[in-house]
Amino acid sequence: KTHLAAEYARERLADGWRLVAWINNVDKPATLSGLAQVASELGLRTDQSDAGAAGLAVRHWLETGGDRCLLVFNGVEKVEVLEPFLPAGGHARVLITTNQRSAARLGTTVPVDVFSKSEALAFLGERTGSANTSDAGAVAAKLGYLPLALAAAAAVIADQHLEYGVYLKRLRTLPVEKLLPRIQADLYPRS
């Protein structure tokens, strides 16, 4: 989700959009801090003692003049934290990445699945500069075609100038089961 959102944001930047803002949403303070930074960059005057004032100022600015503007909220865990700050009208685009199904009521959803084999090969080839599709296919299959895993693999391969086969060998010698052993814990709260 994050990689897809980042690519969309990069395209808007390349198109010369007036505003492309990215806020990582770990919790309410991070959201408010990010919105305060956007307000500051836009030169919006707000009441510093009111934590939500900057967010409301950004919302109003986007509602009244948000054409060619994008605001990305990445990794949202509590959708209700965002709701007061989302534009109710205008032409601004807001992109929210989340695992929360409750976000579906806020707009159009775009389900994100794993890459297809051809997408994974193209992604690895582009990120690593290597067009060795047979070995890239083996890496992609081993990583389950998961975009985040492929991005991490591509970064290591490119940074260390590795061949796909060398990366795959290293991956096999350090199985995830040994690095991240299962432990007894409460049930994960999300599906």
Side-chain angles (χ1 to χ4, degrees):
K1 295 179 298 290
T2 298
H3 286 282
L4 188 59
E7 181 61 27
Y8 184 76
R10 280 191 290 274
E11 288 176 8
R12 301 299 71 81
L13 283 170
D15 291 342
W17 279 34
R18 296 175 32 219
L19 172 71
V20 176
W22 186 281
I23 298 173
N24 284 315
N25 261 41
V26 177
D27 54 18
K28 187 171 183 173
T31 301
L32 294 175
S33 174
L35 288 167
Q37 188 173 4
V38 172
S40 176
E41 291 293 323
L42 292 171
L44 303 176
R45 296 188 186 274
T46 61
D47 178 2
Q48 299 297 327
S49 65
D50 181 358
L56 294 174
V58 170
R59 174 187 171 169
H60 178 71
W61 188 88
L62 290 172
E63 288 173 340
T64 58
D67 57 308
R68 296 180 51 85
C69 294
L70 171 65
L71 182 56
V72 178
F73 292 100
N74 183 50
V76 174
E77 294 197 15
K78 293 186 177 182
V79 175
E80 60 274 8
V81 168
L82 296 183
E83 288 184 86
F85 309 113
L86 297 176
H91 298 287
R93 300 243 175 114
V94 177
L95 196 151
I96 301 169
T97 67
T98 185
N99 292 335
Q100 304 303 310
R101 294 196 185 276
S102 60
R105 63 186 161 71
L106 299 176
T108 304
T109 61
V110 180
V112 178
D113 203 353
V114 298
F115 282 156
S116 67
K117 183 176 181 178
S118 62
E119 289 170 328
L121 295 177
F123 180 83
L124 286 171
E126 180 183 317
R127 294 289 176 100
T128 66
S130 174
N132 181 343
T133 57
S134 63
D135 287 346
V139 169
K142 181 69 176 170
L143 296 175
Y145 303 100
L146 294 165
L148 186 58
L150 292 169
V156 170
I157 291 167
D159 184 59
Q160 297 180 17
H161 307 288
L162 300 176
E163 297 292 326
Y164 291 119
V166 172
Y167 180 84
L168 195 55
K169 183 178 177 183
R170 289 182 182 178
L171 189 62
R172 288 182 177 139
T173 60
L174 294 170
V176 74
E177 296 81 19
K178 288 184 181 178
L179 294 172
L180 300 171
R182 291 188 180 271
I183 60 170
Q184 207 52 20
D186 292 334
L187 291 176
Y188 188 64
R190 295 175 183 84
S191 61

